[in-house]
Amino acid sequence: MGSIIDRPRFTCTLGGALGTLKALPGKVVPIIHAAPGCGGNLGYTISLSAAYAGSGYASNQAVSSTCVTEKDLIFGGEDRLEEQIESTLKIMDGDLFVVMTACMVEIVGDDVKSVASRFSTNDKPVLALETGGFRGDSYDGYDLFMETLVKDYVEPSQEKNKKMVNLLGVVPIMDIFWKRDLSILKELLQEIGLEVNTFFGEFETLENLKYSSKAALNIVVSDTYGIQTAKCYEDIHHIPYITTAFPIGDGATADFLYEVGNAAGISEKTINRVIEKHRKEYYSYVEKVVDLYTDCDFQRYAAVISDANYAPAVSRYLSDDIGWIPDVIVITDQLDEGEKEKVRKRFENYKSGIAPHVFFDTDTGNVEDHLREIWPVEEEDGEYHDSFDPAFVIGSSMDREFAERIGALHLSVSYPIANRVIINKGYAGWEGGLNMLEDLFTQLVACR
């Protein structure tokens, strides 16, 4: 018998698709074919657990839903879905309508794609995808949603713009800081001469998505998320892709620009110029806290509990940018063995020489067990012994009590976050490295 997952850090597939849709620009209207509880619970989960991301257009508790009942599940709910699509098209002003399913209607076999196709027009496209919770988690919902757009919404184009790239792998809502993270990465790539579609960032429109087949390269800023979407682009629109690590701070961001720039045919001279400019600015700010760091002995052991994007990025930043010791890493996603191996390689070859202990575990209740596997509790005998102290826990709101139990400070950087309000902050790039340094050091001096 399988065990339960204690306090998972993701939602079901439907939640991931809804969160991704919510982040798109323009008037994109979801229509969920589900019981009332699905939309209600996911609406609050997507908003309140993502550092108070808000509702937006046709989201949260304003999602159109069939609210199927027992009758619909016994006799089939296609008529009910047809009625809901028709009424939503009349009432809601939308540029794109997307039908999504929950578990129960998939189990009874409602053909949502056939129903949706009867309403779809050029003026009001209606797409449909199957997002039953048993298909995976939030990250699978992101890829399923994006694949549907690539197949059914993106306009084919034989013409390719050699300077245009699409950025994938930063999952809205699951990356609490997605909007600013994407803007930071876009701005950096623009500086080396590329035209960038992020689909969810500032000043983008549905047109960026619709004509994204003109891109010459897809950049997946992840070893796990967005890969299926990139493969879909490659199969249908013949766009090759590369995968890179999510970059935080100096070293990782420079590596990111070299990887992308080389793949996109940008001269090394151009890349070096951008890196030198940002490094000069970056260290001019870091210099301000060097005395504080050294005089107050701010080096810390760290436990990082996060997803497959942020855990490697934060760990490398702590080690190679600010000289901390990220010793215990717990990656909280549902990954297969191949994905685990790719992610595990991101913890190799640190400039500091540190080799973190990496665990893959979706169960929040096991985090302290992993720490104690490496750092057993020592009996008080009056003698000096090594310990995981002074320590810092970087994870989600769920890890605050764990941090308190081991006497560590805590910063929430990954989903779910309920103890911070995030409006316009990102941790990507050089800007993100400075933001993280501020947030970590603020915790260290907060009680002074």
Side-chain angles (χ1 to χ4, degrees), residues 57-77:
Y57 188 76
S59 64
N60 201 353
Q61 299 305 297
V63 171
S64 172
S65 174
T66 56
C67 294
V68 293
T69 63
E70 185 177 345
K71 171 188 170 184
D72 301 309
L73 298 176
I74 293 173
F75 298 103

Side-chain angles (χ1 to χ4, degrees), residues 10-22 24 42 46 98-101 106 128-149 170-174 200 224-226 228-229 334:
F10 41 77
T11 71
C12 66
T13 313
L14 175 58
L18 274 173
T20 306
L21 180 149
K22 165 187 165 65
L24 280 173
L42 288 172
I46 290 168
V98 184
V99 178
M100 305 176 188
T101 57
E106 284 201 45
L129 63 153
E130 296 171 333
T131 51
F134 49 77
R135 293 184 179 275
D137 58 23
S138 309
Y139 302 102
D140 297 299
Y142 163 81
D143 264 318
L144 282 170
F145 178 72
M146 293 302 294
E147 284 182 72
T148 298
L149 294 176
V170 175
V171 181
I173 301 298
M174 292 297 102
F200 307 103
T224 55
Y225 326 136
Q228 293 306 313
T229 304
Q334 300 183 110

Side-chain angles (χ1 to χ4, degrees), residues 79-97:
D79 289 345
R80 177 70 193 92
L81 175 60
E82 189 171 303
E83 179 184 38
Q84 189 65 30
I85 294 174
E86 186 175 9
S87 62
T88 304
L89 289 170
K90 287 179 180 177
I91 294 170
M92 297 300 298
D93 179 18
D95 302 313
L96 174 64
F97 297 80

Side-chain angles (χ1 to χ4, degrees), residues 24-26 28 95-96 153 204-211:
L24 280 173
V28 186
D95 302 313
L96 174 64
Y153 185 71
E204 300 214 13
T205 69
L206 284 177
E207 297 293 296
N208 295 101
L209 173 63
K210 192 169 187 177
Y211 300 107

Side-chain angles (χ1 to χ4, degrees), residues 182-195:
L182 287 171
S183 294
I184 291 169
L185 296 178
K186 179 176 182 175
E187 289 161 10
L188 289 171
L189 295 178
Q190 286 175 330
E191 285 189 59
I192 65 172
L194 296 175
E195 299 173 25

